[in-house]
Amino acid sequence: PIHRRLPKRGFTNIFRKQFVEVNLGRLQVAIDDGKLDAKKPVDVAALIGAGVISKARDGVRILGKGELTAKNVEIHAAGASKSAIAAVEAAGGKIVLPAGADA
């Protein structure tokens, strides 16, 4: 049989967490369109309500592509890239990560 003749390749981790990735540019577009309020904390529920994401999966990870110009934005996420954290802090906001989260 072919499944015995072909070599096994790779490994699939069934316990891997799948995060929804959101770029800073997408957040800025949602704020500009009035779908997100920059004065309130931006969390998973706010992103789903604004239509930025459709499912929460295992959490939201913020990526640094794009530019965030909104001031004093507080983002609650499961993870964030270092460039995203630097860009948000440069705009005067902050990213709140759970304890032990990767940055």
Side-chain angles (χ1 to χ4, degrees), residues 7-58:
K8 290 185 178 180
R9 300 276 181 195
F11 170 75
T12 302
N13 185 359
I14 61 171
F15 300 107
R16 180 178 184 212
K17 295 192 177 213
Q18 291 190 346
F19 295 106
V20 179
E21 296 159 348
V22 178
N23 286 311
L24 289 177
R26 181 69 180 101
L27 287 178
Q28 185 61 45
V29 168
I31 291 171
D32 291 341
D33 291 344
K35 295 178 180 179
L36 280 175
D37 188 8
K39 295 175 180 66
K40 295 181 181 176
V42 177
D43 57 356
V44 174
L47 292 173
I48 291 174
V52 176
I53 61 174
S54 59
K55 290 183 186 177
R57 292 191 182 158
D58 290 323

